[in-house]
Amino acid sequence: MRPFPVILSAPSGGGKTTIAKRLLEQRGDVGYSVSCTTRLPRAGETDGKDYYFLSTGEFVAARERGEFAESAEVHGRMYGTLRREVRRVLGAGRHVLMDIDVQGAEQFARAFPDSVLIFVLPPSVEVLMTRLMARKTENDETVRVRLASALKELQAVSSYQYVVVNDDLDRAVSVVSGIIDAETARRERVPELDGLVQELVDELTREIQKRSEG
Ligand code: 5GP
């Protein structure tokens, strides 16, 4: 199996983080790329697990050293994917799952053209609002900023290969999982396909010869 990057994007409240968590629990062949951010940790978030929480100075220095495969400003904070995180997961033979915004997804896919881009849509504005409000950590201003970026992010759906409506979590997780399976079987991704087919051709040729001789 040749592992590849899987990008999940969605407007805030689309539910992609929950989908990502479920996939990581269910599939041993998927790993997560921990991003860097300059936003503050929310309650329950751990440095090095949810994000690497950096100061603006640290983030800019890492970006100048070329450590990011992509970086973007989202909701007024900086976010970036470390090249070494991507290499670590792919190097362990796992598909690398990334929860990144639409600007980052486009940059990343240019750097890693074998990426699979999946857009997660909330089923309705009502559901999106409920999910956002459920995060008690968000104040009015943050919610307003997130709704405005949700509106902007929705316009980017056409640059994604797949769209999953997150109306039911179990169903959405199994659709994303199915996409990963189907992409694994894509002809271009099957390692040493020529050799594999050649072996089958040789063996079949021998069988046919045997039968015509006998
Ligand atoms: P949150 O602050 O709610 O964890 O994430 C806010 C937004 O930043 C989400 O849309 C998420 O997909 C995006 N994001 C998280 N990590 C990265 C990253 O490494 N790069 C980019 N471009 N966006 C990210």
Side-chain angles (χ1 to χ4, degrees):
M1 195 224 9
R2 192 179 291 153
F4 47 85
V6 179
I7 298 176
L8 283 182
S9 300
S12 235
K16 65 187 179 305
T17 311
T18 321
I19 295 177
K21 281 195 182 130
R22 285 277 191 100
L23 279 172
L24 290 163
E25 282 161 18
Q26 290 177 9
R27 297 185 62 129
D29 62 347
V30 172
Y32 189 66
S33 159
V34 180
S35 292
C36 294
T37 183
T38 60
R39 82 153 163 76
L40 296 173
R42 296 193 187 110
E45 285 185 331
T46 315
D47 186 47
K49 185 169 160 272
D50 298 285
Y51 282 104
Y52 296 108
F53 295 99
L54 305 184
S55 67
T56 304
E58 287 168 334
F59 191 99
V60 170
R63 193 175 57 195
E64 277 166 10
R65 288 193 299 268
E67 292 184 18
F68 295 122
E70 63 75 31
S71 66
E73 197 178 307
V74 188
H75 317 136
R77 300 289 180 174
M78 287 189 261
Y79 291 83
T81 304
L82 289 166
R83 292 180 196 280
R84 64 172 175 272
E85 278 287 303
V86 178
R87 281 200 295 265
R88 174 181 66 79
V89 180
L90 292 176
R94 296 197 171 103
H95 304 302
V96 56
L97 190 60
M98 274 166 304
D99 170 348
I100 62 183
D101 90 307
V102 299
Q103 319 160 61
E106 283 169 23
Q107 280 179 53
F108 189 89
R110 254 178 270 131
F112 291 82
D114 61 334
S115 302
V116 175
L117 281 80
I118 308 174
F119 199 88
V120 180
L121 278 177
S124 65
V125 169
E126 197 187 338
V127 170
L128 188 138
M129 296 287 294
T130 314
R131 289 190 190 138
L132 263 184
M133 298 305 187
R135 283 188 202 157
K136 298 274 190 291
T137 47
E138 316 286 31
N139 60 33
D140 285 354
E141 174 57 11
T142 315
V143 170
R144 201 193 55 77
V145 170
R146 281 176 188 254
L147 288 179
S149 29
L151 189 64
K152 217 169 105 206
E153 294 212 331
L154 279 174
Q155 321 294 321
V157 68
S158 59
S159 43
Y160 285 70
Q161 295 147 333
Y162 295 95
V163 177
V164 177
V165 178
N166 185 14
D167 45 2
D168 173 84
L169 182 61
D170 288 336
R171 197 195 65 87
V173 172
S174 83
V175 173
V176 174
S177 200
I179 293 169
I180 296 174
D181 288 335
E183 284 288 337
T184 305
R186 225 178 229 281
R187 182 167 45 77
E188 313 82 275
R189 296 193 197 275
V190 177
E192 285 141 31
L193 178 68
D194 290 348
L196 194 71
V197 172
Q198 194 55 52
E199 268 174 41
L200 290 170
V201 166
D202 291 348
E203 209 175 319
L204 273 175
T205 311
R206 279 196 297 275
E207 284 298 328
I208 294 166
Q209 257 168 10
K210 245 197 275 170
R211 272 161 183 72
S212 60
E213 283 161 8

